[in-house]
C-alpha cells in the first residue's frame, strides 16, 4: 500500500480525538506509520508519524571509540496543507559512556525549551513519490556555519545527488524512479535563489601558487573562475571537471568572478591549465 501524508492525515482525523499520551499511543504499526529519516556516519535521525496523531522523533550520535547519545522525543503532530507541526511532550535521553564497560544512562523528562529541543515546523515537499520535510530553522550541522534544510537540499539538488542520494534532512523515499524535473515552485521564494535552474559552467581564469608563511612544505593553489554572482555562483557550490579528477569548492564570490583553493597533492597548472572547464553538474 502506497503511504501518503494526505492519507495518513485523513486516518488521523477520523481517529479518537480524546486519546491520551500513554505509551500505547507511541507504538509503531508498519501499515499506519509514515517514516522519515536521514543517515550519516555514526549519526542520523528518524521521524515516525503514527496514524493516531502521535509522533516519535529520534536523533543519535555515536563515537567511533565509544560515547554518544540517543534522544527520543514523543508527542502529537498536526498537518495543515503542506505544513507539519510537531507538538513535543516527552523526552527519553540515553547517554553512552566512553568506556564500553559502563552502562548507558537514561533519563525520562518532560519536553521544555532547553538544549534538548528539536525542530518542530516543516514544509512537506514532494518529488515524484519522494516526500521531504524541510525546515528553515538555522542551526549548526557538521560544518562550521549555521545551515538549514533548504540550503542542504539545494546543495544536493544542484550537484545532481538528489534524488538518488540525500543530505542531512528528513526524507521518505521509495524505490520508484523519478523521471520528472523538481518543481521549484514548492520552495518558498526566499530560498529559491539557492537552487540552480541550470548547471553552472565555469573555466579557470587564473592560478596562483601560495606557500604557507609558517610552513614551507605546505603549498596550496588559489583558483579564479570566470563566473560570479551575476551567473548565480555562490559560496556553497562545488564544481568538478568532466572526468571528476579535480573539483573546487567556491569560497568567495565577486560580480564576475569567484575563487576557491585546492591543496591536491597532484595538482599542477599543466594538468589543469587556464581554460579548464568545471561544472556544478554534468548531464
Amino acid at each position: 500500500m502506497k503511504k501518503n501524508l494526505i492519507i495518513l492525515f485523513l486516518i488521523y482525523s477520523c481517529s479518537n480525538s480524546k486519546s491520551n499520551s500513554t505509551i500505547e499511543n507511541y507504538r509503531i504499526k508498519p501499515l499506519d506509520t509514515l517514516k522519515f529519516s536521514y543517515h550519516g556516519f555514526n549519526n542520523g535521525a528518524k521521524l515516525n508519524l503514527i496514524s493516531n496523531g502521535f509522533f516519535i522523533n529520534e536523533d543519535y550520535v555515536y563515537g567511533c571509540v565509544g560515547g554518544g547519545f540517543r534522544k527520543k522525543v514523543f508527542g502529537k503532530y498536526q498537518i495543515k496543507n503542506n505544513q507539519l507541526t510537531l507538538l513535543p511532550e516527552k523526552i527519553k535521553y540515553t547517554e553512552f559512556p566512553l568506556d564500553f564497560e559502563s552502562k548507558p544512562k537514561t533519563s525520562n523528562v518532560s519536553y521544555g525549551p532547553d538544549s534538548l529541543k528539536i525542530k518542530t515546523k516543516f514544509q512537506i515537499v514532494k518529488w515524484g513519490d519522494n516526500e521531504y520535510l524541510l525546515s528553515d530553522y538555522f542551526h549548526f550541522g557538521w560544518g562550521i556555519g549555521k545551515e538549514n534544510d533548504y540550503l542542504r537540499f539545494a546543495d544536493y539538488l544542484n550537484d545532481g545527488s538528489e534524488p538518488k542520494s540525500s543530505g542531512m534532512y528528513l526524507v521518505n523515499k521509495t524505490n520508484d524512479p523519478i523521471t520528472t524535473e523538481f518543481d521549484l515552485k514548492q520552495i518558498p521564494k526566499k530560498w529559491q535563489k539557492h537552487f540552480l535552474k541550470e548547471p553552472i559552467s565555469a573555466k579557470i581564469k587564473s592560478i596562483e601558487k601560495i606557500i604557507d608563511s609558517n610552513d614551507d612544505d605546505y603549498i596550496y593553489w588559489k583558483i579564479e573562475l570566470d563566473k560570479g554572482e551575476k551567473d548565480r555562483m555562490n559560496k556553497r557550490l562545488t564544481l568538478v571537471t568532466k572526468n571528476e579528477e579535480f573539483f573546487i569548492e567556491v569560497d568567495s564570490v565577486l560580480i564576475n568572478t569567484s575563487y576557491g583553493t585546492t591543496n591536491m597533492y597532484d595538482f599542477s597548472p599543466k594538468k589543469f591549465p587556464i581554460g579548464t572547464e568545471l561544472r556544478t553538474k554534468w548531464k
Side-chain angles (χ1 to χ4, degrees), residues 8-9 12 15-26 47-57 72-79 83-91 111 118-122:
L8 189 63
F9 181 58
Y12 165 40
S15 64
N16 186 354
S17 60
K18 296 182 180 180
S19 297
N20 295 319
S21 302
T22 66
I23 194 64
E24 295 296 326
N25 297 125
Y26 303 121
L47 175 60
N48 296 312
L49 302 179
I50 310 170
S51 62
N52 61 2
F54 287 82
F55 77 85
I56 303 174
N57 186 93
K72 286 188 176 183
V73 179
F74 307 86
K76 300 175 184 177
Y77 70 90
Q78 298 173 348
I79 298 174
Q83 302 297 319
L84 167 68
T85 301
L86 304 182
L87 305 171
E89 297 177 345
K90 302 175 182 179
I91 300 175
Y111 186 83
I118 62 172
K119 291 183 285 187
T120 57
K121 295 185 181 296
F122 299 87

Side-chain angles (χ1 to χ4, degrees), residues 23-249:
I23 194 64
E24 295 296 326
N25 297 125
Y26 303 121
R27 288 189 175 177
I28 297 174
K29 299 178 182 180
L31 294 181
D32 63 3
T33 299
L34 187 59
K35 300 179 180 181
F36 293 85
S37 63
Y38 82 79
H39 301 282
F41 177 71
N42 283 353
N43 73 92
K46 302 175 183 177
L47 175 60
N48 296 312
L49 302 179
I50 310 170
S51 62
N52 61 2
F54 287 82
F55 77 85
I56 303 174
N57 186 93
E58 180 179 353
D59 296 280
Y60 59 90
V61 175
Y62 303 124
C64 294
V65 293
F69 70 86
R70 183 171 65 238
K71 177 180 66 178
K72 286 188 176 183
V73 179
F74 307 86
K76 300 175 184 177
Y77 70 90
Q78 298 173 348
I79 298 174
K80 186 176 182 180
N81 298 325
N82 66 338
Q83 302 297 319
L84 167 68
T85 301
L86 304 182
L87 305 171
E89 297 177 345
K90 302 175 182 179
I91 300 175
K92 181 179 181 180
Y93 186 83
T94 302
E95 184 177 2
F96 298 95
L98 288 173
D99 62 282
F100 293 100
E101 295 181 358
S102 301
K103 293 182 178 180
K105 296 180 181 179
T106 299
S107 301
N108 293 280
V109 297
S110 296
Y111 186 83
D114 55 20
S115 60
L116 296 179
K117 64 183 180 180
I118 62 172
K119 291 183 285 187
T120 57
K121 295 185 181 296
F122 299 87
Q123 179 190 358
I124 302 163
V125 173
K126 296 185 179 183
W127 190 8
D129 289 332
N130 290 354
E131 292 179 319
Y132 303 85
L133 298 183
L134 304 181
S135 170
D136 60 7
Y137 175 72
F138 275 93
H139 64 101
F140 287 97
W142 300 110
I144 60 175
K146 288 186 176 181
E147 300 178 318
N148 69 20
D149 295 334
Y150 289 101
L151 297 180
R152 296 188 184 106
F153 184 60
D155 290 344
Y156 275 71
L157 199 65
N158 289 339
D159 69 11
S161 297
E162 278 285 3
K164 292 183 178 179
S165 178
S166 298
M168 197 176 176
Y169 41 85
L170 293 167
V171 57
N172 174 264
K173 283 192 172 182
T174 69
N175 295 322
D176 298 331
I178 293 179
T179 58
T180 59
E181 294 292 326
F182 177 72
D183 181 11
L184 187 57
K185 294 180 181 179
Q186 296 181 85
I187 301 298
K189 288 186 177 180
K190 66 182 295 185
W191 305 115
Q192 287 186 13
K193 64 182 180 180
H194 298 282
F195 292 78
L196 300 179
K197 295 181 180 179
E198 294 291 337
I200 294 177
S201 172
K203 293 183 179 180
I204 295 178
K205 187 175 180 180
S206 69
I207 302 171
E208 181 182 359
K209 182 179 181 179
I210 300 177
I211 300 175
D212 193 309
S213 59
N214 297 316
D215 185 357
D216 293 341
D217 293 327
Y218 182 69
I219 298 173
Y220 64 98
W221 304 84
K222 183 177 181 180
I223 312 295
E224 180 184 9
L225 301 175
D226 65 354
K227 295 293 174 65
E229 186 177 328
K230 70 178 184 63
D231 307 293
R232 302 196 71 184
M233 192 77 85
N234 65 72
K235 291 191 290 186
R236 298 186 63 88
L237 295 177
T238 298
L239 291 87
V240 63
T241 55
K242 188 173 184 178
N243 56 15
E244 298 185 352
E245 289 186 348
F246 174 62
F247 72 91
I248 184 171
E249 295 178 349

